[in-house]
Amino acid sequence: MSLELPLQFKARMQEMLGDDADKFFNAFLENEHTGIRINSLKRGSLSAIKSVCGDMEPVLWCKNGYYADKKIISGKHPYHMGGLVYFQEPSAMAVVEALEICEGDFVLDLCAAPGGKATQAAEKLSETGILVANEIIEKRAKILAENISRLGIKNSVVTNETPSNLSKKYANFFDKIIVDAPCSGEGMFRKDIKALTEWSAEHTMSCALRQKKILADAVKMLKGGGKLVYSTCTFAPCENEGVVDWVLSNYPEMRLEKITLNGLSDANGEWVNSKYDLSGAKRIFPHISKGEGHFLALFKKKGTESAKKQAQNPSKIAEEYRKFERENLNVKLNGEIISFGERLFLMPYGINIDKIKSELAGLFLGTAKKGRFIPSHSLCLALEKGDFKRSAEISFKDAERFFHGETIETNAVGWTAVTYGGFPIGWGKGTDGVLKNHFPKNLRF
């Protein structure tokens, strides 16, 4: 493997790293590190994944992160389809770990697609509080919503808005904010050839301007006492230390916190002639740590204000779901049930999305049609085996058939959770000894 790195990029990195520059450049000749993050919302997921992958090397800066070969557990494996695991670049796992999310927090991931950091934040919340995962590009917002649903997350809203529009609705609202900003992508050169071919020094400067605009809106949405983590996957000082310097210079209410995760390198304010000590922010260099290039900085906003909870208009057809719940489930889900036409969603308490463009208005429960309720795939993946009155365990071979859309033989009657290894992977409806397949047609393969 060989990469033709831009001459301007090489010259800048040589100046930044000095004697370590050759080791840095040689890292681009090595294979990229691939990782998986175990979904802790699924009880027993770690042992299940280890039964497939064996012992895995842990990622130093992420409790649930491991280095693993995607060839061993592919995207078509039942455990992936059931949301037990998320494929994520190891360096990217550090960002949410640095934010120190607590149960009950109101969390915003402002640039969330495809969902690695958002789903990691949801695990930290452990089905409490609220996660708003936003993506401005509609196509990417749909992918984000699919990943939120696949991992069985109950307390998340996926929005498709500009940061400016969100800041008008949710001023001083969030306890924690993630800004994984669009960047020049220098840290991804060895896995993303597009980032390499599109690179220029001018591009890094234009990215820095966009990052500052996004952060300006993010600061408005952070409540007093709240924390914000800013991250990029680039080495460019103007997008990293330069942006941190800009925040500290323009927002006196924001202070830089020290990140204490293992395996990371200190940021360097001298690279942008900052008057501040920026060593509390961190970098990940591929010649030092086992991951792609990354940068992260943690800020805390002065003050002690609390977010004002917002009420949501409840649905008039909520009873359609509650009836289904009583007849088919062993649990009662908590939240505000809202509707968009025939589609019912379970919203976490405390947030209103009126006049906010959303791709997923909470947990999609299903569709109410003429007195019938058809449960969603999202609802199935958000529950555990014991939450269902009826379940049907199938083999790996039958799971492959199920994902193709084939029927399964069963004695169950009515709505039944199809499980593999004890984990729900989709709905079936049993009648006359056959389980009619309700696995979504758009996900079949």
Side-chain angles (χ1 to χ4, degrees), residues 24-98:
F24 172 79
F25 295 133
N26 288 335
F28 285 91
L29 305 178
E30 301 173 0
N31 292 329
E32 64 181 90
H33 296 289
T34 58
I36 60 174
R37 201 188 71 250
I38 308 300
N39 181 8
S40 61
L41 296 177
K42 304 277 186 176
R43 288 193 294 180
S45 55
L46 178 58
S47 59
I49 297 301
K50 282 188 174 182
S51 72
V52 177
C53 298
D55 289 331
M56 300 174 289
E57 179 185 355
V59 175
L60 286 177
W61 46 82
C62 180
K63 179 181 178 181
N64 297 325
Y66 295 87
Y67 296 96
D69 190 340
K70 294 179 184 177
K71 295 178 182 177
I72 298 177
I73 182 162
S74 73
K76 294 182 179 181
H77 193 282
Y79 285 155
H80 182 270
M81 299 296 288
L84 277 69
V85 64
Y86 190 98
F87 298 134
Q88 189 174 18
E89 195 280 307
S91 294
M93 300 177 189
V95 178
V96 172
E97 295 294 328

Side-chain angles (χ1 to χ4, degrees), residues 366-378:
T367 306
K369 291 186 176 182
K370 298 179 180 178
R372 294 183 303 120
F373 182 81
I374 303 172
S376 73
H377 185 60
S378 302

Side-chain angles (χ1 to χ4, degrees), residues 73-84 150 377 380-381 392 394-408 417-421 423-428 435-445:
I73 182 162
S74 73
K76 294 182 179 181
H77 193 282
Y79 285 155
H80 182 270
M81 299 296 288
L84 277 69
R150 181 176 64 83
H377 185 60
C380 184
L381 296 188
I394 61 176
S395 66
F396 186 87
K397 184 176 181 180
D398 281 342
E400 290 182 323
R401 293 177 52 232
F402 181 71
F403 295 143
H404 291 325
E406 298 179 33
T407 58
I408 304 293
V418 178
T419 63
Y420 173 80
F423 296 94
I425 57 175
W427 287 109
L435 199 64
K436 184 179 178 181
N437 196 313
H438 282 263
F439 190 74
K441 292 182 179 179
N442 65 303
L443 298 179
R444 294 177 184 180
F445 55 82

Side-chain angles (χ1 to χ4, degrees), residues 17 191-192 265 300 326 400 418 422:
L17 299 179
K191 64 181 295 185
D192 184 359
S265 303
K300 184 173 183 178
R326 290 191 296 270
E400 290 182 323
V418 178

Side-chain angles (χ1 to χ4, degrees), residues 127-181:
E127 301 186 356
T128 66
I130 297 170
L131 169 68
V132 176
N134 181 69
E135 172 56 46
I136 192 171
I137 300 173
E138 186 173 1
K139 184 177 180 180
R140 286 170 56 82
K142 292 183 184 298
I143 296 171
L144 170 61
E146 289 175 0
N147 280 322
I148 292 282
S149 296
R150 181 176 64 83
L151 268 68
I153 296 166
K154 299 185 180 76
N155 58 330
S156 178
V157 174
V158 176
T159 55
N160 177 210
E161 280 286 1
T162 64
S164 177
N165 282 348
L166 288 177
S167 69
K168 294 171 186 175
K169 177 82 171 181
Y170 303 116
N172 303 308
F173 187 75
F174 294 100
D175 299 285
K176 306 287 169 60
I177 296 180
I178 304 161
V179 180
D180 184 45

Side-chain angles (χ1 to χ4, degrees), residues 184-384:
S184 59
E186 295 175 358
M188 297 290 111
F189 277 174
R190 63 178 174 181
K191 64 181 295 185
D192 184 359
I193 194 67
K194 185 179 179 181
L196 180 60
T197 57
E198 292 183 349
W199 185 91
S200 69
E202 293 75 19
H203 182 46
T204 64
M205 296 299 291
S206 66
C207 285
L209 290 174
R210 179 168 55 174
Q211 290 152 2
K212 291 171 185 177
K213 290 180 181 178
I214 293 171
L215 279 168
D217 287 311
V219 171
K220 294 177 185 176
M221 291 185 276
L222 187 66
K223 75 175 192 179
K227 292 184 178 181
L228 180 154
V229 65
Y230 169 74
S231 66
T232 72
C233 56
T234 188
F235 303 110
C238 67
E239 299 180 67
N240 295 333
E241 286 90 350
V243 172
V244 174
D245 178 86
W246 176 83
V247 171
L248 297 176
S249 298
N250 288 274
Y251 296 93
E253 70 272 30
M254 301 292 283
R255 72 165 186 257
L256 185 67
E257 299 277 287
K258 184 177 181 179
I259 296 171
T260 58
L261 299 177
N262 294 325
L264 311 186
S265 303
D266 291 348
N268 189 338
E270 294 181 3
W271 289 335
V272 293
N273 297 315
S274 176
K275 65 180 181 181
Y276 302 103
D277 177 6
L278 304 186
S279 61
K282 300 298 174 182
R283 283 177 171 266
I284 298 179
F285 288 109
H287 67 293
I288 298 175
S289 304
K290 296 180 68 173
E292 306 306 303
H294 230 76
F295 175 88
L296 52 156
L298 180 65
F299 299 95
K300 184 173 183 178
K301 190 175 186 179
K302 295 178 183 177
T304 57
E305 65 200 73
S306 299
K308 296 180 180 179
K309 292 189 176 183
Q310 304 170 341
Q312 187 72 49
N313 295 324
S315 171
K316 295 180 180 179
I317 57 172
E319 180 55 29
E320 299 286 352
Y321 167 73
R322 292 302 184 190
K323 180 181 177 183
F324 169 87
E325 189 178 59
R326 290 191 296 270
E327 293 175 351
N328 297 279
L329 303 180
N330 296 319
V331 293
K332 179 179 173 62
L333 297 181
N334 294 317
E336 296 177 300
I337 297 180
I338 65 171
S339 58
F340 293 87
E342 298 175 328
R343 292 161 60 86
L344 289 168
F345 294 83
L346 186 76
M347 284 283 293
Y349 290 116
I351 187 169
N352 184 294
I353 59 169
D354 183 43
K355 297 181 181 180
I356 293 293
K357 187 178 179 182
S358 61
E359 187 62 40
L360 193 65
L363 173 63
F364 177 38
L365 297 173
T367 306
K369 291 186 176 182
K370 298 179 180 178
R372 294 183 303 120
F373 182 81
I374 303 172
S376 73
H377 185 60
S378 302
L379 175 61
C380 184
L381 296 188
L383 301 174
E384 297 183 344

